[in-house]
Amino acid sequence: MKRYEGLEGILLIDDDLPTNFIHKKVIEKAAVNAAVKSITSVQEALDFITYSGIYEDTPQIPRPGLIFLDINMPGLDGWDFMDAYNRLDQRFKARLIIIMLSTSLDPEDKAMAMIDREVVTFLSKPLRPEIVTTILDRYFK
């Protein structure tokens, strides 16, 4: 298992449970030594990052250094997450890498994602172990 400095956890934000399951297995196959948390809603993800809501008294749970964020979700979507995330206090955003994921073929989605300075890249689903390793090698020591 490879350990990356500054990477205690990886957060998967996707409403599709099978996709989260597959992506968690992909991360395990990439042999990353980090806790992987799957969350299916934008609000819960924001609560997790900010230690609020059901995560208020959970400092022992590793918080993410890397987020894989789906764009298309019912209710609040990936764009809504980014709007809320951009308004968060800097202490919750420090050293967080956000990768947007989608099955969308619309070039507008990628263009919109890359306008946001907090999003480092836009990838098509599904993740593959070599993609995870490339991202980690690029953004973490």
Side-chain angles (χ1 to χ4, degrees):
M1 295 282 267
K2 190 167 183 181
R3 181 97 176 119
Y4 290 88
E5 185 180 316
L7 182 67
E8 297 296 319
I10 297 172
L11 179 58
L12 304 172
I13 307 171
D14 195 317
D15 64 300
D16 187 60
L17 292 173
T19 298
N20 282 335
F21 178 80
I22 290 166
H23 285 169
K24 186 172 184 176
K25 292 296 182 190
V26 165
I27 292 166
E28 289 172 5
K29 195 169 187 173
V32 179
N33 187 3
V36 179
K37 175 113 177 116
S38 301
I39 293 181
T40 58
S41 79
V42 166
Q43 188 56 58
E44 185 181 349
L46 291 166
D47 288 349
F48 182 67
I49 292 168
T50 60
Y51 299 86
S52 56
I54 63 171
Y55 298 102
E56 188 173 357
D57 294 317
T58 60
Q60 74 283 4
I61 299 174
R63 290 319 195 257
L66 175 63
I67 296 175
F68 289 105
L69 173 64
D70 183 32
I71 293 176
N72 297 311
M73 294 183 277
L76 299 176
D77 61 18
W79 308 118
D80 296 317
F81 175 86
M82 290 310 302
D83 288 343
Y85 179 84
N86 285 322
R87 292 190 305 270
L88 290 179
D89 185 291
Q90 189 59 38
R91 67 191 162 116
F92 298 119
K93 300 189 314 184
R95 300 189 54 122
L96 255 175
I97 303 298
I98 299 176
I99 310 290
M100 284 197 115
L101 297 174
S102 184
T103 55
S104 171
L105 299 175
D106 185 352
E108 272 300 302
D109 284 341
K110 182 174 184 175
M112 274 183 59
M114 298 317 297
I115 289 171
D116 192 315
R117 287 190 273 157
E118 300 289 345
V119 175
V120 298
T121 195
F122 177 96
L123 299 173
S124 294
K125 290 191 221 178
L127 287 174
R128 294 186 317 279
E130 60 274 10
I131 291 172
V132 172
T133 302
T134 299
I135 288 167
L136 294 174
D137 288 344
R138 173 180 269 168
Y139 296 105
F140 297 91
K141 292 181 183 180

